[in-house]
Structures are given as structure tokens and as C-alpha cells.
Amino acid sequence: MQRLIQGLHHFQNAVFGSQRELFERLAKGQAPETLFITCSDSRIDPNLLTQTVPGELFIMRNAGNLVPPYGASQGGEAATIEFAVAGLGVKEIVVCGHSHCGAMKGLLDPPPAKDFPALTQWLGHAESTRRVVRDKYADREGASLINITIQENVLAQLENLRTHPVVASGLAQSKLKLHGWVYKIETGEVFGYDPESGQFRLLTEQPSHRTDRERQFEPLDV
Ligand code: ZN
């Protein structure tokens, strides 16, 4: 805890002053353009990896960057999504998975339910991920299998997002765009799902386009 208290002092004494105008403006309200959904994993810093400042990302985090389908959970996810889209008017929603995700490892190799009852129930929101991976990638194992699972889970959660009425409505009016990302911790790279090619591709300022449609992931090392 001492580490955190020292951080607070450093922030107040050495950082806040240089950004005082930003914080005074933010005190009057927020207008983020992006809802960023990612894992609770301590190794992910959404603002750092997107080089954004406070006020730019509305962030929802949980184990495994899961989005329970509408009506399937009493948790705060539906309320967070509803407020972001209908209240704040975000224009983009990013679901960002990441390499070495403990939740995805737990999905493939579940911990004892008696020791982790809440986690076991929570991972049920990734059951479609588990089943797709089991049925479609039976030949994969080890790191390749985990990487495939991380990628398939991002797509499964994007599908779950579409069940939320505010998201369905935003998409129908072309006011909202959904994006599937995977962040690779050891290189800092972010791969984005490209629906045209059915692949996750390294996000650059000028994305390339390919047209092979079948979604059959390469054992991409992410
Ligand atoms: Zn994770």
C-alpha cells in the first residue's frame, strides 16, 4: 500500500499541475468516443497502449473480457454498456483480449468449481468460445490452442455485444462500430479482427485488405 500512497503524492505534486486544464475540463463532464472492454489482467493498461488521456476511454474490465448476453447476468455489464451507448453516445466499442490470458487458460482447463464457484459460473459466458475451440480446433494444443481461444473469445464476446438492445440499435443506424482486438503483452503489438479476411491482423495506420473469407485462424503467435 505504501507504494500506492507514494504514487498518489507523486501524481499530485509532479503530474497534476502540468495537466490541470484537462482535469478542470473533465470535472464538468465526459464525452468519451470509445467503450473499451478488456480483461482485468494487471499487465494491460488501455490508456498506455492506445496513448489516450483521461476522458477518452470509457472502460469496462472483468476476468476474460466477457460480455454476458443481454438478460443473462445480474452484473453491471449490461448497465455499463447501456450507459456508454445511450447515455454517453460512444461511437466505437472495442473488445480487447490479450496474450497469456489466465481466464482463457481457465476456460480450457477449469479450476475446481468448489474452490472457485463464482469464477466457474462467470466463465459460462464464454461457453460458446470453449465449444467452438473444442469442435473446430481439436488438432491444436499448448500455446497455439490458448492463442486460438483468446481470438475466438473476442469474436464470441462481440456476438454477445450484439444482443444488447442499445448496441443492436446503434449498429442498425450505423452510429456504432464494433472492433475485436488482441494485445500481445511481450511485444506491445495489437492485432485487430479483419472481417474481410477472417483473420486478426497487426493494426497499423493503413490496414491491408484481403478477401479470403473462411474464418480458420492461423496459429498466430499472439
Ligand atoms: Zn486475461
Side-chain angles (χ1 to χ4, degrees), residues 34-74:
T34 304
L35 167 60
F36 196 92
I37 300 171
T38 193
C39 188
S40 297
D41 193 298
S42 65
R43 298 166 292 183
I44 304 168
D45 185 333
N47 290 117
L48 183 66
L49 74 94
T50 59
Q51 289 293 286
T52 46
V53 298
E56 290 191 275
L57 299 181
F58 196 71
I59 301 176
M60 181 171 98
R61 304 186 71 156
N62 57 49
N65 39 269
L66 305 187
V67 179
Y70 188 72
S73 167
Q74 299 301 315

Side-chain angles (χ1 to χ4, degrees), residues 1-201:
M1 183 47 68
Q2 194 55 31
R3 165 84 186 80
L4 300 189
I5 302 295
Q6 284 173 354
L8 293 179
H9 284 296
H10 180 74
F11 171 69
Q12 287 156 14
N13 297 326
V15 178
F16 184 87
S18 67
Q19 299 182 46
R20 181 179 297 277
E21 279 184 21
L22 169 65
F23 290 112
E24 286 178 353
R25 179 163 51 81
L26 290 176
K28 296 178 182 134
Q30 61 170 332
E33 296 206 342
T34 304
L35 167 60
F36 196 92
I37 300 171
T38 193
C39 188
S40 297
D41 193 298
S42 65
R43 298 166 292 183
I44 304 168
D45 185 333
N47 290 117
L48 183 66
L49 74 94
T50 59
Q51 289 293 286
T52 46
V53 298
E56 290 191 275
L57 299 181
F58 196 71
I59 301 176
M60 181 171 98
R61 304 186 71 156
N62 57 49
N65 39 269
L66 305 187
V67 179
Y70 188 72
S73 167
Q74 299 301 315
E77 287 78 17
T80 302
I81 293 162
E82 191 174 80
F83 181 67
V85 176
L88 296 172
V90 299
K91 297 179 175 64
E92 323 273 349
I93 303 181
V94 176
V95 174
C96 183
H98 68 100
S99 59
H100 313 287
C101 183
M104 292 301 102
K105 291 176 184 174
L107 187 66
L108 296 173
D109 185 14
K114 67 176 171 45
D115 295 331
F116 297 94
L119 181 60
T120 300
Q121 189 178 19
W122 175 246
L123 289 177
H125 297 304
E127 171 60 15
S128 61
T129 304
R130 191 193 67 78
R131 192 164 286 264
V132 166
V133 169
R134 188 197 68 178
D135 295 346
K136 189 172 179 182
Y137 303 98
D139 57 330
R140 301 292 172 81
E141 57 184 16
S144 168
L145 182 63
I146 290 167
N147 290 336
I148 291 288
T149 306
I150 289 161
Q151 293 169 76
E152 283 288 356
N153 183 57
V154 167
L155 300 185
Q157 304 312 321
L158 287 175
E159 288 305 311
N160 287 350
L161 256 180
R162 296 175 202 276
T163 67
H164 289 254
V166 290
V167 174
S169 176
L171 291 171
Q173 299 173 77
S174 301
K175 288 181 175 172
L176 194 61
K177 286 187 191 148
L178 307 185
H179 308 271
W181 288 7
V182 175
Y183 168 53
K184 187 172 179 181
I185 291 170
E186 56 269 58
T187 64
E189 293 168 311
V190 176
F191 298 81
Y193 182 67
D194 171 18
E196 273 190 44
S197 66
Q199 301 289 324
F200 280 84
R201 300 196 176 286

